Amino acid sequence: MAIVIQKYGGSSVGTTEKIRKVAQTIISRREKGDKVVVVVSAMGDATDDLINLAKAITDNPDKRELDALLSTGEMVSSSLLAMAIKALGYDAVSYTAYQLGIKTTGNYGKSLIDDINETKIKDSLDEDKIVIVAGFQGINEDGDITTLGRGGSDTTAVAIAVKVKGICEIYTDVDGIYNVDPRLYKNAKKLDSIDYEEMLELASLGAQVMHSRSIELGQKYRIPIYVGLSNSDIKGTIIKEVNNMNMEGKPVTGVATSDDDISVTLKELAVDINILADIFDTLGSNKINIDMISQTAPFNNKVNVSFTVPKDDLNECRSILLNFIEENNISMDTDITKFSIVGIGMKSTSGVAARMFKVFKENNITVKMITTSEIRITCSIKKEDKMKAIELMAEEFNL
Ligand code: ASP
Ligand code: MG
């Protein structure tokens, strides 16, 4: 008899009808003979609603109190779900993080799970109960309630799967992981499986299907994670270890794009590593996240340095830069897309970047900046070239 950890996202438990439906689904899983632990998110937009309540009190709510407030969303959904299961004649019990000893460390609003005392879960399963856990919350060293960051219930689910050595299934409102965002590209294909590392790269590029920390945990403890629709015959995607090459031997698994950044160019900067270090240090200590740094070859002892920053930080970034460099020498380009190809197969295939640049060149797509990791190549291109770039890469790499 396997232990199955299922996580239901906010949209799956958005109304009391939906909660009753989820209760049915859980019971039918139970009927197949598995022991079931369920992690739930807050109902629908409950977390946003709670944040708005706090903001109506003050612009800058106290972080400890905010976490206490936000944790109530999952307490509501977990107890309602346990009630719904009991009303259908099956035994169930809901637990908060405090009751389960979900220990966290780190800051309010983005704490990490340190440990879970799995005894209570196992005892309740042995008593033939369906166990319902409030996701997204933990208790820190001071005994305060903390939350794991938006979308953190995924991480609660994977952490429990690690502790009870169970199978992990994440049910959400998407039917799986696609090789290209299906809202952008109608020929996008769903992947049967994807490697943890690829999924992490996609998540860092803005494909917000899952809480990244949950994927890191899955990778660390080798727990395969199924992602898909609940109550559906449509098959989802398994995140697991895919040993260097995807099944079809393609070097590229997927494409990701992001329009959330701008590129900044500092013109005719004196060649002096100290200035550059100072600039990046100041931007960093103001929590402005720099990416895609590139620099031209020195000419007359001057260089141009470009990098990208999130759009939201544009004004703050400009005012910091003005402490170092004249307004005329700063140019900001809002018309960029960060375009990435990702694939675990790149580790063992050479020439992938060359193929990408050749196709772009032949099709007049100008690449301004480039960064790479072992399994990703990211370029900044003009926004207007985005769709063309997706189609070209889908064709070139047979996606
Ligand atoms: N309810 C929380 C959120 O909306 C946590 C979660 O959904 O996983 O971010
Ligand atoms: Mg949610």
Side-chain angles (χ1 to χ4, degrees), residues 7-11 41-48 74 136 150-153:
K7 180 253 169 174
Y8 290 91
S11 52
S41 293
M43 293 173 71
D45 296 328
T47 309
D48 290 325
E74 274 72 12
F136 176 56
R150 296 306 304 268
S153 304

Side-chain angles (χ1 to χ4, degrees), residues 188-205:
K189 291 192 197 97
K190 197 173 12 173
L191 302 164
D192 290 335
S193 61
I194 183 169
D195 187 87
Y196 298 110
E197 274 184 71
E198 293 173 323
M199 192 62 201
L200 280 167
E201 288 281 8
L202 292 175
S204 76
L205 297 168

Side-chain angles (χ1 to χ4, degrees), residues 100-117:
L100 279 189
I102 302 184
K103 290 200 195 112
T104 49
T105 56
N107 296 337
Y108 296 111
K110 48 176 173 208
S111 61
L112 308 174
I113 296 184
D114 202 22
D115 200 9
I116 300 176
N117 177 358

Side-chain angles (χ1 to χ4, degrees), residues 330-347:
I330 306 174
S331 81
M332 294 191 159
D333 185 357
T334 53
D335 176 39
I336 65 154
T337 289
K338 267 195 201 171
F339 185 94
S340 308
I341 54 177
V342 172
I344 196 92
M346 282 186 208
K347 279 188 184 175

Side-chain angles (χ1 to χ4, degrees), residues 70 92 114 155 157 224 257 305 312 321 345:
L70 296 192
D114 202 22
T155 298
T257 62
V305 174
D312 294 343
L321 291 172

Side-chain angles (χ1 to χ4, degrees), residues 30-80:
R30 174 70 229 290
E31 284 286 285
K32 285 189 187 144
D34 292 320
K35 296 186 172 188
V36 188
V37 180
V38 177
V39 175
V40 273
S41 293
M43 293 173 71
D45 296 328
T47 309
D48 290 325
D49 296 343
L50 291 167
I51 291 173
N52 289 336
L53 279 179
K55 292 236 164 101
I57 298 280
T58 162
D59 283 342
N60 193 10
D62 180 83
K63 295 208 161 70
R64 176 185 183 276
E65 303 310 328
L66 186 63
D67 269 8
L69 178 70
L70 296 192
S71 69
T72 62
E74 274 72 12
M75 297 187 196
V76 171
S77 52
S78 54
S79 43
L80 287 175

Side-chain angles (χ1 to χ4, degrees), residues 98-377:
Y98 179 74
Q99 292 169 309
L100 279 189
I102 302 184
K103 290 200 195 112
T104 49
T105 56
N107 296 337
Y108 296 111
K110 48 176 173 208
S111 61
L112 308 174
I113 296 184
D114 202 22
D115 200 9
I116 300 176
N117 177 358
E118 71 276 22
T119 330
K120 214 161 194 171
I121 298 178
K122 286 192 166 157
D123 288 350
S124 300
L125 289 174
D126 287 344
E127 287 161 17
D128 251 356
K129 289 181 174 145
I130 295 169
V131 175
I132 316 291
V133 179
F136 176 56
Q137 55 181 262
I139 307 292
N140 70 11
E141 302 86 335
D142 299 330
D144 287 343
I145 300 176
T146 69
T147 62
L148 308 179
R150 296 306 304 268
S153 304
D154 295 337
T155 298
T156 309
V158 177
I160 291 176
V162 170
K163 290 299 282 193
V164 304
K165 301 194 173 55
I167 296 165
C168 190
E169 301 171 352
I170 306 283
Y171 293 111
T172 149
D173 48 5
V174 296
D175 61 0
I177 315 293
Y178 283 76
N179 59 1
V180 186
D181 185 341
R183 288 167 302 184
L184 276 183
Y185 182 58
K186 67 172 191 327
N187 294 327
K189 291 192 197 97
K190 197 173 12 173
L191 302 164
D192 290 335
S193 61
I194 183 169
D195 187 87
Y196 298 110
E197 274 184 71
E198 293 173 323
M199 192 62 201
L200 280 167
E201 288 281 8
L202 292 175
S204 76
L205 297 168
Q208 279 308 357
V209 181
M210 281 180 68
H211 198 230
S212 328
R213 184 85 194 117
S214 67
I215 306 159
E216 287 167 8
L217 268 184
Q219 178 175 35
K220 184 163 173 201
Y221 295 97
R222 301 270 168 254
I223 300 277
I225 306 168
Y226 175 87
V227 184
L229 296 172
S230 72
N231 222 339
S232 162
D233 292 334
I234 303 171
K235 239 181 77 201
T237 303
I238 299 183
I239 307 169
K240 61 176 190 178
E241 191 176 7
V242 187
N243 283 328
N244 270 334
M245 190 65 93
N246 55 32
M247 303 250 289
E248 292 152 28
K250 297 177 188 172
V252 176
T253 304
V255 164
T257 62
S258 157
D259 300 332
D260 297 335
D261 298 80
I262 56 160
S263 84
V264 178
T265 302
L266 310 178
K267 287 179 290 192
E268 300 190 6
L269 210 58
V271 180
D272 180 350
I273 188 69
N274 294 317
I275 299 181
L276 216 51
D278 261 1
I279 293 177
F280 287 138
D281 189 42
T282 315
L283 291 168
S285 47
N286 283 281
K287 301 250 166 350
I288 296 179
N289 216 344
I290 306 285
D291 191 21
M292 305 202 78
I293 305 168
S294 71
Q295 180 182 318
T296 56
F299 182 72
N300 286 339
N301 250 343
K302 299 255 159 83
V303 286
N304 291 352
V305 174
S306 302
F307 51 88
T308 61
V309 294
K311 246 184 214 156
D312 294 343
D313 295 334
L314 186 148
N315 290 328
E316 207 186 341
C317 178
R318 189 198 301 273
S319 56
I320 291 171
L321 291 172
L322 286 174
N323 297 320
F324 296 94
I325 180 167
E326 303 259 319
E327 173 111 61
N328 287 341
N329 285 341
I330 306 174
S331 81
M332 294 191 159
D333 185 357
T334 53
D335 176 39
I336 65 154
T337 289
K338 267 195 201 171
F339 185 94
S340 308
I341 54 177
V342 172
I344 196 92
M346 282 186 208
K347 279 188 184 175
S348 51
T349 316
S350 54
V352 176
R355 280 167 73 183
M356 179 181 196
F357 298 141
K358 179 161 179 276
V359 172
F360 279 0
K361 196 170 139 231
E362 285 166 359
N363 290 277
N364 297 319
I365 295 179
T366 327
V367 172
K368 294 183 190 158
M369 284 178 267
I370 303 158
T371 52
T372 62
S373 80
E374 220 181 355
I375 66 160
R376 169 181 57 84
I377 303 165

